[in-house]
Amino acid sequence: MTAETDTRTTTVYRVAGMTCGHCEGAVTAELSALPGVASVKAVAATGEVTVVSEAPLAEEDVRAAVDEAGYELAGQA
């Protein structure tokens, strides 16, 4: 799901392997480091990560950040 909010883009991703708060923090830290990312909210219970960015992010950049955190990007929710 992608929606425009003002000039920002909100995208919800599915991330496999998150089971706890530490997992949420690791994914949040890696995605927050991507250029243009304004906020990240990861929820281990649902496996969903909501990213608000200045412009749509390249999926390969998101995948690389999630991989770096030690998890697997399962696609957009």
Side-chain angles (χ1 to χ4, degrees), residues 13-16 59 62-64 66-67 71-76:
Y13 298 96
R14 303 274 311 154
V15 175
E59 185 172 331
V62 174
R63 185 172 304 281
V66 171
D67 285 348
Y71 305 94
E72 180 184 348
L73 180 66
Q76 291 188 20

Side-chain angles (χ1 to χ4, degrees), residues 15-28 42-48 71:
V15 175
M18 292 191 304
T19 59
C20 65
H22 173 72
C23 301
E24 294 170 350
V27 170
T28 297
V43 181
T46 62
E48 291 187 345
Y71 305 94

Side-chain angles (χ1 to χ4, degrees), residues 4-49:
E4 293 292 328
T5 307
D6 296 318
T7 59
R8 294 183 178 191
T9 300
T10 301
T11 308
V12 179
Y13 298 96
R14 303 274 311 154
V15 175
M18 292 191 304
T19 59
C20 65
H22 173 72
C23 301
E24 294 170 350
V27 170
T28 297
E30 290 297 333
L31 289 172
S32 293
L34 292 176
V37 171
S39 70
V40 178
K41 179 176 177 164
V43 181
T46 62
E48 291 187 345
V49 179

